[in-house]
Amino acid sequence: MSDNLLLTSIWLLPLIGAAVVLLIPKQSESLVKYVATAFMVANFAATLVALGVYLGDAKAAAPLQYRASQNQLVAVAGGSVVVADESQGEGDLVVRRSWIPAFNIQYYLGLDGISLSLVVLTGLISLLACIASWNIDRQVRGYYALFLLLVASMMGVFVSLDLFLFYVFFEIMLLPMYFLIAIWGGENREYAAIKFLLYTLFGSVFILVSILILYFWPGDAGAISLVNATGQAQAFHGHSFDIVELTAIATASSYYGRHIQGWIFVLFLVGFIIKLPSFPFHTWLPDAHVQAPTPISMILAGVLLKIGGYGLIRLAWPLAPAGAYDWSYFVAALGVFSIIYGALVAMAQTDFKKLVAYSSVSHMGYVTLGMAVMNLSNSPQYYAYGVNGAMYMMLAHGITSAGMFFLVGVIYDRAHTRDLDKLGGLNNIMPMYGAVSYVIFFGSMGLPGLCGFVAEVFVLLAAFNYSVRLAVVAAAAVVLTAGYILWTIQRVFLGRNQAWKGLPDMSLREIVIAAPLVVLTVLMGVFPQSLILSWMSPSVNQMVNGVFTARELNTGAPGQPPVARLVAPRVPGAETVAAPALPPVVARTL
């Protein structure tokens, strides 16, 4: 399968599915559900094929800068731009085509360990959410069409390597989520949907301004770029949306000086922490979760929040590394505050779904903290632990949060309440439901041997190497997390409550949805290195190396003249930070 067909199918298959669903007669609701599920199975299969290519072919696993340089465009007679040599970049999971040549906008797709891990997560969670949607019985065609459009746009965000294309997918994603909440949500669905849309559009403005600064900024340095569409050495004068090229320029030259990088970073930061979300831009999240139907809450927590984290690790830090370094302590403190704040507010909730929503604010604080603990004085190794921990937290939280929201929906469908004070004794009445819930909830709590523990250990190791004070506070939040998780388990599952006697246990369809989440919660805690870190960490470490290089280059004295550098693609084997194996404390625990 060609790179173009494979990468395009990852976002196009759900879009085709949305169109097919709309063509099905209105009365054939069962057929709509089967067709939508079939397209989601095909989409998830495509992500697994991409993972297989990445794991099985050294060419596909080479550094992204190197692979980008092998996919070149050339101008031909008449002013059109075509692919220079289709075979040269085939099999490397990168596609580059000219789209709008007048503005140097490209149809530019690619995958590395960072984006691929989130693409596979999106495929899995979307498939499970699609199956969970089978109890939707109102305007079924419209629901599944919007659902598939949402999946297509999320996939497009993760595979895009052109900033303009990234922004198009990012904006398209907002509309289906708005309607899915506003039409199929709870009693206050319109308020929650509008709040979600306004907050996210507000953040989009900051992201757009950052992109335009990167495109139009007339840098003072004579940086020479080799990571461009032609692959030829040429002076860099901006007017590029190429994420890989802009990353190389920002990390290996002073084209974007320290001052302008500070502005770029702050704008990206505000835009993406709204999506993450982080305090103080988190207030849209509980309302959206409470009002959204269960499958959409699974998508929202399992995937959409990760787009905020992905934006930070793909754009904010690599495209403005000097700004990230200058703001690192503030961002780390913000992450720690979100961890504590989210845990405390979750502990105070009586609505089961709102408790899970605030737990997401707390867990996403670990992502912010892991990205920000930039102790680069001697070696980037510990910072690599932090960023790997942030990435692992996004994957682990994607599994456990989707599972928790699904479990809330299971009991709501039966008891028609989310009030924790009214629940209780479900362990005796629904033993299968209780067993699944224990694994998922303990995984979210960070119990050793489950997925959340590995992510927290990596982040805290990096935090202690950066600031002991911040690390101690963040570590103390583990007790708060255990507090609200254990208290929830006590109120929902333990004791006896005759009011719920006779409630049916989980159905076969619900077990099919929960089983992959339970298995991954365990496997990601027991085999983190072989299952994920071995192929995800090299891409994370390449980003860390770029930030480390940029810190040395861009953090000199104010007014220091910029340095011109030849910005060349890193060839395979040029990484300076090895993929981190598990620290001894983790290895002993597991």
Side-chain angles (χ1 to χ4, degrees), residues 11 17 36 54 90 96 122 174 196 262 308 314 322 338 403 440 453 464 482 499 514 539:
W11 70 265
Y54 190 79
E90 192 59 49
R96 193 199 296 261
T122 303
L174 307 182
F196 160 79
R314 175 65 78 202
S338 293
I440 298 294
F453 174 74
F464 270 103
S539 297

Side-chain angles (χ1 to χ4, degrees), residues 59-79:
K59 185 178 182 181
L64 188 57
Q65 279 193 6
Y66 177 79
R67 288 184 282 137
S69 68
Q70 303 302 301
N71 291 263
Q72 302 170 9
L73 302 176
V74 294
V76 296

Side-chain angles (χ1 to χ4, degrees), residues 22 81 133 151 241 253 298 328 334 371 379 389 455 488 516:
L22 291 176
V81 182
S133 300
V151 175
F241 291 109
S253 80
M298 293 173 64
S328 60
L334 185 64
M371 289 293 300
S379 168
T488 300

Side-chain angles (χ1 to χ4, degrees), residues 505-550:
D505 208 342
M506 297 181 73
S507 66
L508 178 60
R509 178 179 65 88
E510 291 166 341
I511 293 174
V512 168
I513 296 169
L517 303 176
V518 171
V519 171
L520 285 173
T521 298
V522 176
L523 291 182
M524 288 175 63
V526 177
F527 304 109
Q529 183 72 23
S530 57
L531 193 64
I532 294 177
L533 289 174
S534 60
W535 55 270
M536 183 187 75
S537 291
S539 297
V540 173
N541 295 333
Q542 289 153 23
M543 187 279 282
V544 170
N545 286 327
V547 172
F548 180 72
T549 302

Side-chain angles (χ1 to χ4, degrees), residues 167-188:
Y167 191 77
V168 168
F169 279 120
F170 187 87
E171 289 296 286
I172 291 175
M173 177 180 60
L174 307 182
L175 292 180
M177 178 58 75
Y178 168 79
F179 287 111
L180 286 166
I181 297 174
I183 297 175
W184 289 273
E187 294 181 359
N188 296 320

Side-chain angles (χ1 to χ4, degrees), residues 29-38 130 133-136 140 144:
E29 293 183 352
S30 295
L31 181 59
V32 169
K33 296 176 182 179
Y34 281 115
V35 169
T37 304
C130 184
S133 300
W134 277 35
N135 59 358
I136 297 292
V140 175
Y144 275 100

